[in-house]
Amino acid sequence: MNRHFTPRTLRGRLALMALATSALWIGVLTTVFNIALDKRLHGQADDVLRTRAEAVAATVDVRPDGRLVVREPTEDRALDVGVWIFQGGTVIEKPPTAPAGLEAQAAHLAGRRETFADTEGPGSWRLYAFPIDAPARQGHTPTQAGTVVSSVSLDPYRSTADTALIGSIALAVLLLATIYLLTRLVVRRALRPVAAMSEQATRWSAAGAPERFGAQGRPAELAAFATSLDALLDRLAAVLRHEQQQAAELSHELRTPLARITAETEWLTGRPRSTEQQETSLEAIAVAAATMQQICDSLLSEVRTRNAQTPGRSRFSGIAHRLAERNAALFPDAPPVTVAAGSSAPGGTPDVSIGVSEDVAERILTPLLDNARRYAAHSVTLTCEASAGEVTVYVSDDGPGVPEDFVASLFEPGRRARPEDGHDGAGLGLALARRLARAAGGDIALDAAAPGARFVVTLPAG
């Protein structure tokens, strides 16, 4: 189909496809119906001709000398209409009125066995020749003594066929118009949820909203569409979080050297300085500028080397096993870290996609694992469960747990439950981990009801 005539909307294309398919089938059915009707009408005309000829032949007697004698029954006008009786090639009886040329066609059929013939002219006629046989002598083949030729006009039959053809075409056109309109209406209503979902997806992605469609309770086609849109929204949210977090970290990292440069510059211009003081201040400015350049180079390097993977997305399985191997290598005497399957993946470690980068995920989980390693008696466990739009990671140990009176201060910077326990640490790890988790759109909490210490890390789904 020419692309200039192809509708631009999906509704128009589906309606056009339904119209084309319906037109094909209705055209086939209309053609078959009219051909069957034409054959049926011709059969009825043949039956009328045969019945009339046989009835007239029943009134004709054959004399022993071969002459034909026509008995005139009462009210024989119906039999005389359109009927010729021939003895050989001579007509002995003919209808009172007949169209010009029809008698010549009837005479042409005289002497033939059962034969049908059609005429063309101002009117269409069909003729039938029925033989009248003389009584057969013993041992001889019957001979034909005469012929009855009946005729009937085909105009009424053709008028009926033409009327049926016009009616069937009009009905087909009406059906096609109805099918087209109904298809557009049905498709428009069927696509209304899709349009609504698209508008919601556009609105949610622009605002960074956490809502998702979900596939539950939707038809199969819309469930697949909703899943695809949810994945797209997760991808956009992950990119947005990554860019926001990168901008925040860049601002934080640049603030310190920029403040140092500003302070040294103001100190130099405030009053005259000695040569040694100037050199010291200029060296500090150079170091701060180099730090800023290093930060910018790191940012540009990340942009240039970024692969096809979506920024701000990672897989729990790879991160968890890498952290477990690192813990075993750095602290061979410490309790091992076990990566366990959650309730959402009973067959093995869930390969859940997390909506933060691998670096951020490791920086969130490492302080929790360090804390668990310090206080665990025999084991540390990493577990992951996925739900709609969210991933939950559990970091558990079988140690003594967090003292009840310290739970409220657990995530405050510089606070430790037992400063005299001999473990290293300044009490900043948990606070930093929670800050990173919240900056990524998640959080960290303590499950006080669990045995030992169990931290619940919630992160956005990838």
Side-chain angles (χ1 to χ4, degrees):
M1 182 178 292
N2 192 323
R3 64 180 182 180
H4 296 292
F5 297 97
T6 302
R8 295 183 178 181
T9 62
L10 180 59
R11 180 181 62 181
R13 294 184 180 183
L14 291 176
L16 186 61
M17 290 178 60
L19 180 65
T21 305
S22 301
L24 176 62
W25 282 107
I26 292 177
V28 171
L29 293 176
T30 302
T31 302
V32 171
F33 167 75
N34 283 277
I35 291 176
L37 178 63
D38 187 68
K39 289 185 177 180
R40 177 61 179 165
L41 292 175
H42 273 77
Q44 290 179 352
D46 292 345
D47 291 340
V48 170
L49 290 172
R50 188 179 290 108
T51 301
R52 186 179 296 173
E54 290 176 352
V56 172
T59 64
V60 179
D61 296 329
V62 182
R63 295 286 179 88
D65 58 359
R67 289 187 305 110
L68 300 181
V69 177
V70 180
R71 289 182 283 106
E72 297 292 341
T74 306
E75 300 296 335
D76 63 341
R77 293 181 179 178
L79 296 178
D80 292 338
V81 176
V83 177
W84 289 264
I85 302 176
F86 292 90
Q87 182 170 0
T90 305
V91 58
I92 62 175
E93 187 171 314
K94 61 181 181 178
T97 58
L102 190 59
E103 184 173 343
Q105 184 67 27
H108 183 70
L109 296 177
R112 297 189 182 186
R113 305 299 294 178
E114 291 190 51
T115 304
F116 288 96
D118 292 328
T119 64
E120 296 295 338
S124 298
W125 293 79
R126 188 167 177 81
L127 295 90
Y128 171 67
F130 182 79
I132 301 176
D133 295 330
R137 297 180 182 179
Q138 187 175 4
H140 291 78
T141 304
T143 59
Q144 184 174 344
T147 306
V148 176
V149 178
S150 59
S151 65
V152 65
S153 174
L154 294 179
D155 291 341
Y157 297 95
R158 291 191 175 180
S159 176
T160 301
D162 293 342
T163 302
L165 177 61
I166 295 173
S168 60
I169 292 176
L171 180 61
V173 172
L174 180 62
L175 285 175
L176 289 176
T178 304
I179 290 173
Y180 181 75
L181 295 176
L182 288 178
T183 302
R184 288 183 63 89
L185 178 62
V186 170
V187 172
R188 181 177 63 182
R189 292 193 175 184
L191 293 179
R192 191 175 298 167
V194 179
M197 291 172 64
S198 299
E199 293 177 0
Q200 289 178 339
T202 302
R203 186 167 58 253
W204 292 345
S205 61
E211 291 88 350
R212 295 295 182 267
F213 297 105
Q216 188 175 5
R218 300 183 184 276
E221 296 81 359
L222 290 184
F225 182 56
T227 302
S228 300
L229 284 179
D230 286 345
L232 177 61
L233 290 173
D234 289 339
R235 186 181 180 91
L236 291 175
V239 173
L240 181 61
R241 283 193 303 270
H242 175 79
E243 299 301 332
Q244 290 175 342
Q245 183 178 1
Q246 190 177 54
E249 291 181 355
L250 178 62
S251 175
H252 177 75
E253 295 295 335
L254 291 176
R255 187 179 294 113
T256 300
L258 183 59
R260 182 65 182 275
I261 292 175
T262 302
E264 293 293 340
T265 303
E266 291 177 353
W267 188 78
L268 280 175
T269 59
R271 60 180 180 176
R273 304 294 177 181
S274 64
T275 302
E276 182 179 357
Q277 289 176 334
Q278 291 180 358
E279 290 178 354
T280 302
S281 184
L282 290 175
E283 182 179 355
I285 292 175
V287 171
T291 302
M292 294 180 65
Q293 183 178 2
Q294 183 180 6
I295 294 172
C296 293
D297 290 342
S298 299
L299 177 62
L300 293 175
S301 177
E302 180 188 358
V303 173
R304 293 192 190 100
T305 59
R306 183 180 297 169
N307 54 20
Q309 183 180 3
T310 303
R313 300 183 73 185
S314 57
R315 293 287 182 179
F316 168 78
S317 179
I319 297 172
H321 285 97
R322 185 162 55 251
L323 290 175
E325 293 172 359
R326 183 185 304 167
N327 182 80
L330 296 177
F331 309 100
D333 298 331
V337 176
T338 303
V339 181
S343 59
S344 60
T349 303
D351 192 17
V352 176
S353 179
I354 304 176
V356 296
S357 64
E358 292 185 357
D359 179 63
V360 173
E362 290 185 6
R363 289 168 62 185
I364 292 173
L365 295 177
T366 297
L368 300 176
L369 290 175
D370 290 341
N371 186 77
R373 171 180 52 80
R374 295 189 187 104
Y375 298 103
H378 302 95
S379 65
V380 177
T381 304
L382 265 176
T383 309
C384 181
E385 293 182 353
S387 58
E390 188 177 80
V391 174
T392 305
V393 180
Y394 300 96
V395 182
S396 310
D397 66 72
D398 59 351
V402 180
E404 186 175 353
D405 58 348
F406 187 71
V407 171
S409 306
L410 180 61
F411 294 99
E412 293 182 7
R415 298 292 300 274
R416 293 183 57 186
R418 301 182 183 88
E420 71 284 352
D421 57 10
H423 292 297
D424 56 344
L428 298 176
L430 295 181
L432 177 62
R434 173 179 263 191
R435 184 182 72 83
L436 290 175
R438 289 181 173 178
D443 201 356
I444 299 179
L446 175 68
D447 185 2
R454 188 189 196 206
F455 289 90
V456 182
V457 183
T458 55
L459 294 172

